[in-house]
Amino acid sequence: MSGLFGATSTTDEVLAGVDLKGKRVLVTGVSAGLGVETARVLAAHGAQVVGTARDLAKARAATEVVRAGAANGGSLDIVELDLASLASVRACADALIADGRPFDVVIANAGVMAAPFGRTADGFETQFGTNHLGHFVLVNRIASLVKSGGRVVIVASSAHRMAPFSLDDLNFESKTYEPWAAYAQSKTANILFAVELDRRLEKRGIRATALHPGGIQTELDRHVGAGAIEGMMAEINAALAAEGKPPFQRKTIPQGAATSVWAGFVAPADAVGGRYCENCHVSEVTDAEISPISEGVRSYALDPATAKALWAKSEDMVGERF
């Protein structure tokens, strides 16, 4: 089944014929882009979706399409969550635990990209604190709600290849801040989190995986000027032209969200557990020089020892043991 899909597959194609009635799914970041599309297709196939958002009014407006298209018992509830505030993360997790209803799948979709230097409410570098530590605390606090046979899907990025990963100075307290390096660090952390989470939860019959959704134009680009994006595209396309290849085509949002739903509901659990996926399949490990748009995951992002070390470091940073 997994071989049927690829880079241009859409969410509707991936879930064609899949009945999600009775499934309950948590999706972080449903106020725009991939989160809205993920929630839409899941609710359209009968899933009860719980979406999170920092701005509830924005999310309610953005998800009208989700409620309008819900079918077969599908639904959407929105809860407040600011991943850049551990107080908000803990309050959200506490509310979900108090509610007590289990989840079949958790999709950690929310994030920020190439943000200017800043700190979260708890003093962490914005991208690492939001993309990794916020999800680290949320997922671990609600792990008891994930059903046996369930999955945790973490949206990472091929940008993990843009900078080597180190546990030193994760908050950029001494090294020079560079937005893309910080983004790369946070996305590598996402993958490493999935690796160690999968190891810890597998005994409960739960698998965790990370993925690259592809190059898509969403609100994630808001910190990157249009000129910078166009410049990057021009460089990529010039390299492709030199190789006699056609220009790079960005994915549509339904194509970008396809790997999330594929990894959560269609792919064999044992195939994706502890792995990194893209274009609706498991990616190959490569440390060779490759273009920004080529497939491949770096070995350091899947290294079990680094994953364990990051877990321990993350626990120290947030002041909790899981």
Side-chain angles (χ1 to χ4, degrees):
M1 182 178 291
S2 59
L4 297 175
F5 309 111
T8 60
S9 298
T10 66
T11 50
D12 287 318
E13 290 168 348
V14 167
L15 288 184
V18 178
D19 183 3
L20 299 180
K21 186 175 178 63
K23 300 287 186 183
R24 193 161 182 262
V25 187
L26 178 68
V27 181
T28 66
V30 298
S31 59
L34 298 181
V36 173
E37 172 60 18
T38 302
R40 181 203 66 78
V41 75
L42 296 179
H45 284 259
Q48 299 165 24
V49 180
V50 177
T52 77
R54 182 182 56 180
D55 184 334
L56 295 180
K58 179 182 178 182
R60 290 190 186 104
T63 55
E64 287 181 4
V65 64
V66 179
R67 287 179 288 276
N72 195 29
S75 62
L76 173 69
D77 292 321
I78 301 176
V79 297
E80 186 173 3
L81 171 66
D82 181 355
L83 287 164
S85 163
L86 291 185
S88 174
V89 172
R90 289 165 178 146
C92 179
D94 288 348
L96 294 172
I97 292 290
D99 177 80
R101 287 178 288 171
F103 291 104
D104 295 275
V105 176
V106 173
I107 301 177
N109 164 81
V112 293
M113 182 179 78
F117 181 75
R119 299 281 185 204
T120 66
D122 304 277
F124 306 123
E125 185 276 314
T126 298
Q127 297 188 80
F128 186 79
T130 303
N131 296 345
H132 171 60
L133 291 176
H135 279 124
F136 177 79
V137 173
L138 177 71
V139 171
N140 275 308
R141 281 198 161 216
I142 65 168
S144 63
L145 293 178
V146 182
K147 292 180 182 179
S148 178
R151 304 187 195 185
V152 177
V153 177
I154 301 174
V155 178
S157 174
S158 64
H160 77 275
R161 306 185 317 222
M162 295 177 71
F165 184 77
S166 171
L167 290 170
D168 296 330
D169 198 14
L170 292 170
N171 276 327
F172 286 85
E173 289 165 350
S174 58
K175 63 188 176 187
T176 301
Y177 182 78
E178 200 285 311
W180 285 109
Y183 182 63
Q185 172 179 269
S186 73
K187 294 289 104 176
T188 302
N190 285 155
I191 304 168
L192 291 166
F193 176 37
V195 169
E196 177 63 5
L197 186 68
D198 182 73
R199 187 189 71 81
R200 288 169 175 249
L201 296 184
E202 185 178 3
K203 58 182 173 290
R204 285 182 49 206
I206 300 165
R207 304 309 301 264
T209 189
L211 64 93
H212 170 51
I216 316 128
Q217 187 163 6
T218 69
E219 283 196 6
L220 200 63
D221 290 352
R222 63 185 175 273
H223 294 301
V224 186
I229 292 289
E230 293 308 315
M232 291 167 65
M233 290 297 100
E235 287 183 17
I236 289 170
N237 287 331
L240 288 171
E243 296 174 20
K245 296 178 181 177
F248 173 66
Q249 295 291 323
R250 280 184 156 191
K251 288 188 178 186
T252 65
I253 288 176
Q255 290 171 339
T259 302
S260 293
V261 297
W262 174 83
F265 299 95
V266 177
D270 289 342
V272 298
R275 305 292 293 278
Y276 169 89
C277 308
E278 56 190 327
N279 295 329
C280 297
H281 62 82
V282 175
S283 186
E284 295 295 324
V285 178
T286 177
D287 290 320
E289 184 175 343
I290 52 177
S291 78
I293 60 170
S294 296
E295 294 187 359
V297 58
R298 296 308 194 200
S299 59
Y300 58 73
L302 295 173
D303 180 65
T306 306
K308 289 181 181 180
L310 174 63
W311 187 288
K313 181 75 170 180
S314 300
E315 288 181 326
D316 288 342
M317 292 176 80
V318 303
E320 290 190 68
R321 293 285 178 268
F322 299 110

